[in-house]
Amino acid sequence: MEWETVIGLEVHVQLATQTKIFSGSSIAFGAEPNTQACAIDLAMPGTLPVANEQAFRYATMFGLAVDAEIGKRSVFERKNYFYPDLPKGYQTTQLEEPIVGPGNVDILLSSGEQKRVRIHHAHLEEDAGKSVHEGASLGFSQAMSGIDLNRAGTPLIEVVTEPDMRNAEEAVAFARKLHSIVTSLGICDGEMSQGSMRFDVNISVRLKGGELGTRTETKNLNSFRFMERCIEQEVERQIEVLEEGGTITQETRLYDGDTHTARAMRSKEEANDYRYFPCPDLLPVILDDDYIEQVRSTLPELPDARQKRFEETYSLSAYDAGTLSADAAVASYFEATAKASGDAKLAANWLMGELSAKLNAEEIAIGGSKVSAEHLAGLIARIKDQTISNKIAKQVFEAMWNGEGDADSIIDAKGLKQVSDSGALEKMVDEVMSNNPSQVDNYRKADEKKRPKMLGFFVGQIMKASNGQANPQQLNEILKNKLDAE
Amino acid sequence: MHKLTIAEIARKLRSKEFSSEEITRHLLQRISELDTRYNSFVTVTAEQAIAQAKQADTRLASGDTEPMCGVPFAHKDIFCTNSVLTTCGSKMLSNFVPPYDACVVTNFKNAGAVMLGKTNMDEFAMGSSNETSYYGPVKNPWDTNCVPGGSSGGSAAAVAALLAPGATATDTGGSIRQPAALCGITGIKPTYGRVSRWGMIAFASSLDQAGVMAKSAEDAAIMLNTMASFDEKDSTCVDQPLEDYTAGLGNPLAGVTVGIPKEYFGEGLNAGTQAAVEAAIKELEKAGAKIKSISLPHTHLAVPAYYVIAPAECSANLSRFDGVRYGYRCDEPKDLEDLYKRSRGEGFGDEVKRRILVGTYCLSAGYYDAYYGKAQVVRRLIKQDFVEAFKEVDVIAGPTSPSPAFQFGAKSDDPVAMYLEDIYTIATNLAGLPGMSLPCGLVDDKPVGLQLIGNYFAEGKLLNLAHQFQQATDFHSLAPASIA
């Protein structure tokens, strides 16, 4: 049997507004519990919400970025359920008339194929607080839970896709593209580890070409890696169940990032009846064309346009341009390096090679890079003018990363300058040749085809003697001349 | 002193016949002596009142011109008062002391008015008889065997018993006008959005509107001047220029057309009430108004639509009372569900629970369209009735309630009979229009109210009509025989 996977995503994107969606409290991450919660956030009696204009602006920017229709009339509704981290006993969200209507996002797959994922809609809503189940560490007796309402009321857009993705790769590519769009727009800080983007994944499998299967929803994935693993596991689980003749239960599952396993949280029967109805405390918000056009005029360059520009301006491959343009911070680092060094190709290689390896190894974002774009450009300039070889450059990069200064001062201090003095090089060649007469003999007896390979021995010896500082091109030339001369 | 109107008090404070502290102490004394009969106050803030009165006297001495400066009054216990217990008539909030003032409370504080205390009310403003209060029923000063009406029964009784010259109140479905009628005083519910709801504990957000109760239309105008404001903290507050409601009180009624809806004089209307209201309409005609018969064809749908919309909104509004952050919490909850169930089960009274259940049902999957959806359609039709009517008339007049005050227990076992108390008042809330009630006679020694309904933001016109009526009649100055 050939199975096909069908995946749809619901993505919660925290908007990087100054204040909460319905109150004046700050939304900064990491404050002491309940220090960023005012009477409105605590749902004290008689308090009322006032909608945050910046949240509407950000949601509108998102809608325009995914080529969606902007809801000119957008209505908040109350989604009713009881939970201690939901102070009002309802979440203020949108249902029937969301701010962002149908749109689409194009993703590039590793096969080189481009695919379009349709956005069903995106709506504005408030986040809930957090229940903290670490009683003992909070000074409570073990059985108690704490509630932190700092996050309650943080503005979110929930982006809902059509079930257009067919495997984990596509879902992750979409998620990364979405991350790229919202960070480029500057409407989300993109800090996945802080929950700034959270994914709910709807997964079902069906026989190829058949009717849609029953889906499960796995909630609250906050890394691309978790998402990938979770999808692979869930697809495998569903296929196994179906192949054994079982049926899939429509249920909500929760993924545990520590154990990398998911478990059923509640079935459809246990699902809440949320009793949505329009929030009478908030009037419908009407966005007119002038407002929408004004927002459109403020849109920064989006990833797709940037990729195209990178391909054209810097003659990069589609893949390289895509990688470098996805993240706004990476893109601007790249452009600064390319411009200052005058070599975009080398800048791209270094960014995607050494720099990205370092950043990944130390788990830091490009904003926190220990080598600035200016320093990297300085290094590239020395490679270009042949002051140092690529190999030495890696050594210099390492030193720059360790805070030892810029490329020039490190090259000077360590005496890493490439030896391009032909007199000095000739002397080294003569020395190596006289020390290895049998190899010289062999070389000279060998035919033309075998010689280039045999040349490697002499290059290696001289590089060793010169601490890698010999200019390789020059060295090659001199060696060849001398060996071939007999 | 306690017989004086607010307008008279304001004058006498300035002519130094007495100080704010003197009249405040006098009224506090009256409350402590007499309110055991009426139970109109939940909390009396004597100490704070005297401090406020002293401050007001200082302001008056330096020539303050705010009409409410130094005038004692009471707040319905639905308005949050910083550092003062705010119960909303419920056990649920029997321990709730807000750290903030309602916008209305701030406005009166800024004007220098002196708060005597917080008045009793139906629990969470749900009731038409004041029998649902956790703090016991309020008694009607005209007959203590009868209800004062509700939900603002405490405010109405306090004014009728001359314990306070005026009081704030709220009206979600007649809660100012019906008790004003039953207690023989003047009450006005302004246009939805005229007064900020910030800090006013919500019952049904799209219907709730704060207003005032006083001894006369002139006093109501003075209080409303202080109360009304635009408030950015309430998104439903309307940014409409403020007007001086006392300015047009003296306008003649010539050229004013008063519409009489035939639907307000049908089955269920007490004959005595009808006679008094008709006589009052004649009086308006005598004063120069033109009387015109009109029709509000969807009137009969107002009560059913209201009893879907209001409970639906309240079912969500009251979810925050969960025993987690403030208010009543049950003893020794064994888990989260037990905490919710018992805190809410023990903290809310029967009528509140009934409405939460009705509202929850109306919003449930499969019932939403048939109930909530339909009710919204009806609401638009009712509003349209008024829009059409106000093309032809300036003001609509009719009875406030179908009959005078009834005895305790008479309707408390029959929710539908109780709900029909508000049959003439509820449509106004659904449409968001201003409405008022003023005394227009007695039936069996109990007051009858004349209701006036105005177009959006036509509070001034209503107060003008009411004032002119009160210039020509003395129903508003009648006091129960038992009250000296």
Side-chain angles (χ1 to χ4, degrees):
Chain A
M1 281 182 282
E2 197 182 350
W3 296 98
E4 181 179 49
T5 306
V6 177
I7 300 169
L9 296 178
E10 291 166 27
V11 189
H12 289 93
V13 179
Q14 259 184 26
L15 297 179
T17 50
Q18 295 293 307
T19 56
K20 292 187 177 177
I21 188 166
F22 299 123
S23 82
S25 304
S26 163
I27 61 163
F29 180 81
E32 284 292 300
N34 298 310
T35 54
Q36 291 179 171
C38 69
I40 297 172
D41 308 323
L42 264 60
M44 299 291 277
T47 58
L48 295 168
V50 176
N52 179 343
E53 193 269 341
Q54 200 178 22
F56 274 86
R57 180 171 293 269
Y58 282 3
T60 304
M61 286 170 77
F62 175 76
L64 294 172
V66 298
D67 203 18
E69 219 172 279
I70 303 302
K72 293 200 177 143
R73 184 185 136 96
S74 93
V75 174
F76 283 109
E77 307 215 17
R78 293 180 178 179
K79 178 182 181 180
N80 295 283
Y81 65 96
F82 284 100
Y83 204 68
D85 65 16
L86 188 74
K88 294 191 293 290
Y90 55 82
Q91 181 195 26
T92 307
T93 176
Q94 299 186 314
L95 182 73
E96 298 287 338
E97 297 177 84
I99 181 156
V100 176
N104 50 68
V105 169
D106 291 330
I107 55 174
L108 187 63
L109 303 174
S110 59
S111 62
E113 184 200 343
Q114 178 155 308
K115 176 162 183 163
R116 173 156 287 193
V117 175
R118 292 167 300 156
I119 303 290
H120 180 273
H121 79 273
H123 62 259
L124 270 169
E125 64 183 23
E126 60 182 341
D127 209 343
K130 277 181 191 163
S131 297
V132 189
H133 303 291
E134 350 177 309
S137 70
L138 291 174
F140 296 150
S141 68
Q142 276 182 324
M144 291 179 95
S145 296
I147 302 163
D148 178 5
L149 294 175
N150 283 354
R151 202 181 66 180
T154 296
L156 303 175
I157 47 173
E158 181 175 337
V159 182
V160 180
T161 75
E162 296 286 355
D164 285 352
M165 288 148 282
R166 293 291 171 267
N167 54 47
E169 191 209 341
E170 292 182 11
V172 171
F174 172 82
R176 286 187 186 278
K177 187 62 177 280
L178 200 66
H179 184 269
S180 161
I181 291 171
V182 297
T183 51
S184 295
L185 289 170
I187 64 172
C188 173
D189 66 16
E191 297 293 344
M192 311 271 292
S193 60
Q194 296 174 5
S196 293
M197 264 180 105
R198 310 193 290 272
F199 300 91
D200 298 346
V201 191
N202 287 290
I203 304 169
S204 65
V205 297
R206 62 176 172 191
L207 286 175
K208 198 144 193 153
E211 280 189 21
L212 278 177
T214 304
R215 67 187 163 86
T216 63
E217 180 182 24
T218 307
K219 289 185 102 71
N220 253 335
L221 299 158
N222 68 351
S223 89
F224 300 128
R225 204 160 39 91
F226 287 176
M227 193 167 124
E228 190 170 3
R229 287 183 75 157
C230 157
I231 292 171
E232 282 163 1
Q233 283 175 18
E234 177 60 10
V235 168
E236 202 174 309
R237 186 188 72 87
Q238 289 191 15
I239 291 175
E240 209 175 285
V241 169
L242 293 171
E243 289 190 337
E244 281 166 11
T247 50
I248 303 298
T249 314
Q250 186 175 337
E251 63 190 7
T252 303
R253 300 172 66 82
L254 205 62
Y255 189 77
D256 184 335
D258 293 331
T259 61
H260 294 295
T261 51
R263 59 180 170 80
M265 198 165 75
R266 57 170 182 263
S267 73
K268 189 187 175 189
E269 288 70 33
E270 295 165 284
N272 276 309
D273 176 356
Y274 291 119
R275 308 188 311 280
Y276 284 92
F277 75 103
C279 179
D281 285 330
L282 292 158
L283 300 173
V285 174
I286 310 296
L287 303 179
D288 60 22
D289 289 331
D290 286 351
Y291 179 87
I292 294 168
E293 287 317 307
Q294 193 272 326
V295 173
R296 194 193 299 277
S297 71
T298 66
L299 286 185
E301 185 180 44
L302 289 164
D304 282 350
R306 192 156 52 216
Q307 179 182 341
K308 194 162 281 171
R309 185 167 62 80
F310 280 12
E311 286 176 42
E312 286 163 6
T313 313
Y314 303 111
S315 309
L316 297 179
S317 69
Y319 180 81
D320 288 1
T323 308
L324 293 170
S325 62
D327 183 285
V330 171
S332 82
Y333 188 104
F334 163 71
E335 288 207 272
T337 311
K339 280 187 184 135
S341 68
D343 193 321
K345 184 66 201 159
L346 274 178
N349 289 346
W350 276 86
L351 227 162
M352 294 186 293
E354 295 302 305
L355 182 66
S356 127
K358 274 284 181 210
L359 294 172
N360 285 342
E362 300 193 13
E363 291 186 350
I364 48 182
I366 193 135
S369 170
K370 295 177 186 169
V371 172
S372 68
E374 194 192 346
H375 280 184
L376 183 58
L379 177 67
I380 291 169
R382 296 293 82 85
I383 300 169
K384 268 190 72 173
D385 68 12
Q386 305 200 340
T387 306
I388 52 173
S389 66
N390 250 317
K391 202 174 158 207
I392 293 290
K394 288 183 185 171
Q395 203 182 321
V396 176
F397 180 82
E398 188 73 35
M400 290 201 295
W401 188 266
N402 294 331
E404 293 172 33
D406 64 11
D408 286 340
S409 56
I410 291 166
I411 292 165
D412 276 355
K414 302 201 170 186
L416 297 173
K417 205 164 171 192
Q418 194 155 258
V419 180
S420 304
D421 173 343
S422 49
L425 285 173
E426 275 182 44
K427 220 179 121 196
M428 281 189 259
V429 171
D430 290 343
E431 210 165 303
V432 168
M433 281 172 68
S434 62
N435 288 345
N436 299 281
S438 60
Q439 271 85 352
V440 173
D441 226 34
N442 287 342
Y443 179 93
R444 289 178 172 160
K445 282 180 193 150
D447 62 33
E448 282 294 323
K449 278 184 188 164
K450 284 184 180 162
R451 282 186 175 183
K453 218 174 174 184
M454 298 175 79
L455 197 66
F457 166 78
F458 298 98
V459 174
Q461 291 296 311
I462 292 162
M463 279 298 178
K464 210 162 149 190
S466 72
N467 283 324
Q469 283 166 259
N471 180 324
Q473 273 172 319
Q474 244 180 320
L475 173 62
N476 264 335
E477 229 164 274
I478 294 170
L479 252 176
K480 261 199 213 151
N481 283 341
K482 292 212 178 230
L483 285 167
D484 292 351
E486 312 220 2
Chain B
M1 250 190 293
H2 51 272
K3 291 182 178 165
L4 299 173
T5 64
I6 290 171
E8 288 163 345
I9 293 168
R11 273 197 296 277
K12 288 177 194 289
L13 285 172
R14 284 172 180 80
S15 63
K16 302 202 166 56
E17 274 188 47
F18 48 75
S19 67
S20 174
E21 187 182 343
E22 282 168 313
I23 187 169
T24 300
R25 285 187 188 279
H26 172 74
L27 291 171
L28 287 170
Q29 182 64 28
R30 255 185 90 76
I31 293 167
S32 79
E33 279 168 16
L34 299 175
D35 200 42
T36 46
R37 275 193 230 168
Y38 310 117
N39 195 29
S40 64
F41 280 85
V42 174
T43 304
V44 177
T45 49
E47 219 170 286
Q48 186 185 320
I50 289 163
Q52 284 182 346
K54 285 179 175 166
Q55 277 176 22
D57 282 329
T58 311
R59 279 175 67 166
L60 286 162
S62 61
D64 194 294
T65 56
E66 276 289 344
M68 283 302 291
C69 185
V71 176
F73 76 112
H75 273 306
K76 184 176 180 179
D77 208 17
I78 199 169
F79 294 103
C80 288
T81 40
N82 195 346
S83 310
V84 175
L85 181 71
T86 300
T87 69
C88 216
S90 182
K91 179 181 180 184
M92 185 57 90
L93 292 178
S94 51
N95 60 0
F96 179 62
V97 178
Y100 48 88
D101 278 327
C103 175
V104 161
V105 172
T106 303
N107 288 351
F108 277 100
K109 268 188 185 170
N110 290 344
V114 177
M115 181 178 81
L116 297 168
K118 309 287 296 285
T119 59
N120 201 347
M121 56 183 284
D122 276 304
E123 184 179 7
F124 284 104
M126 296 175 198
S128 306
S129 66
N130 232 288
E131 292 168 288
T132 73
S133 171
Y134 176 65
Y135 304 92
V138 177
K139 313 265 173 71
N140 191 319
W142 290 82
D143 178 349
T144 51
N145 293 315
C146 286
V147 305
S151 67
S152 311
S155 288
V159 174
L162 310 183
L163 304 179
T168 59
T170 60
D171 190 318
T172 304
S175 280
I176 289 176
R177 291 159 291 157
Q178 185 253 13
L182 270 48
C183 289
I185 59 165
T186 302
I188 182 165
K189 172 201 105 71
T191 308
Y192 183 79
R194 173 75 290 180
V195 175
S196 169
R197 293 188 295 114
W198 171 262
M200 185 176 118
I201 298 174
F203 159 17
S205 312
S206 76
L207 301 159
D208 294 344
Q209 182 60 50
V212 296
M213 293 176 140
K215 292 170 185 161
S216 69
E218 185 185 16
D219 282 4
I222 292 169
M223 286 186 79
L224 197 55
N225 275 348
T226 297
M227 188 184 226
S229 64
F230 171 64
D231 180 11
E232 286 180 350
K233 288 192 289 193
D234 173 3
S235 307
T236 61
C237 208
V238 182
D239 193 2
Q240 174 89 0
L242 292 170
E243 62 175 290
D244 178 0
Y245 295 113
T246 60
L249 290 175
N251 292 346
L253 297 192
V256 175
T257 309
V258 178
I260 313 298
K262 61 174 198 270
E263 292 81 3
Y264 284 32
F265 293 85
E267 202 186 331
L269 179 60
N270 173 290
T273 299
Q274 178 164 356
V277 169
E278 283 171 353
I281 292 165
K282 286 250 154 54
E283 197 64 48
L284 291 172
E285 194 171 18
K286 232 166 68 188
K290 204 175 128 202
I291 307 299
K292 187 171 177 170
S293 177
I294 60 164
S295 172
L296 299 169
H298 297 96
T299 298
H300 64 291
L301 298 175
V303 169
Y306 176 90
Y307 278 99
V308 170
I309 294 169
E313 292 185 13
C314 100
S315 73
N317 280 336
L318 271 59
S319 293
R320 66 189 59 198
F321 305 108
D322 56 6
V324 174
R325 296 169 311 287
Y326 51 77
Y328 178 78
R329 176 187 289 184
C330 67
D331 281 336
E332 305 277 322
K334 61 176 196 286
D335 56 23
L336 183 62
E337 196 167 318
D338 186 45
L339 169 77
Y340 284 152
K341 283 183 172 167
R342 284 201 291 122
S343 297
R344 289 169 66 78
E346 294 162 16
F348 289 138
D350 287 348
E351 183 59 27
V352 170
K353 283 184 217 167
R354 178 171 13 250
R355 297 201 195 187
I356 290 174
L357 287 172
V358 168
T360 303
Y361 180 85
C362 292
L363 292 173
S364 299
Y367 298 100
Y368 181 94
D369 291 338
Y371 291 98
Y372 189 79
K374 262 282 161 50
Q376 293 295 351
V377 173
V378 170
R379 186 174 187 173
R380 282 192 286 278
L381 292 173
I382 285 169
K383 184 180 168 179
Q384 200 50 39
D385 279 0
F386 283 108
V387 169
E388 292 302 318
F390 283 118
K391 287 177 182 166
E392 296 177 37
V393 302
D394 301 304
V395 172
I396 292 167
T400 305
S401 68
S403 55
F406 48 91
Q407 301 231 321
F408 286 104
K411 301 184 182 184
S412 44
D413 292 333
D414 184 351
V416 175
M418 189 70 91
Y419 297 167
L420 289 173
E421 264 300 294
D422 299 313
I423 188 164
Y424 306 128
T425 47
I426 269 175
T428 317
N429 298 82
L430 290 169
L433 293 164
M436 70 182 293
S437 179
L438 57 155
C440 69
L442 296 177
V443 171
D444 302 330
D445 293 326
K446 283 181 281 192
V448 172
L450 169 70
Q451 183 179 208
L452 300 177
I453 300 167
N455 209 340
Y456 296 101
F457 298 101
E459 289 81 5
K461 177 69 41 189
L462 294 184
L463 290 161
N464 168 217
L465 238 77
H467 182 69
Q468 289 304 310
F469 180 80
Q470 292 180 343
Q471 293 300 99
T473 61
D474 64 353
F475 300 118
H476 64 292
S477 17
L478 296 177
S482 61
I483 290 170

